[in-house]
Amino acid sequence: MNKILTLVFIFAALFANAQPPNPGGGVGGVGPGRPASPIDMYVYILAIAAILMIAFFAKKYKTQKI
């Protein structure tokens, strides 16, 4: 049973780390004028949203505990 689970985890890790082929060749996915990933444009907005959510849920938890 342990060998089967180990094999399943190895295949899952291989499939999770699979990269799609690069049809254009050249410099790869990041070129001039193109962001490394779309999430880079929203880092500040996501950080503010995370801080607001932490404050909201901390306050909510504190009021429930009292």
Side-chain angles (χ1 to χ4, degrees):
M1 187 68 178
N2 287 338
K3 291 180 183 179
I4 293 173
L5 286 176
T6 303
L7 191 65
V8 168
F9 284 124
I10 288 173
F11 280 119
L14 287 174
F15 286 123
N17 292 325
Q19 298 292 320
N22 188 3
V27 296
V30 180
R34 194 168 161 194
S37 64
I39 199 169
D40 287 346
M41 296 182 294
Y42 303 106
V43 171
Y44 298 116
I45 296 170
L46 291 173
I48 292 169
I51 291 169
L52 291 174
M53 288 177 65
I54 289 170
F56 173 75
F57 285 110
K59 184 178 178 183
K60 183 178 174 182
Y61 176 74
K62 189 175 182 181
T63 57
Q64 284 181 353
K65 196 171 183 180
I66 294 176

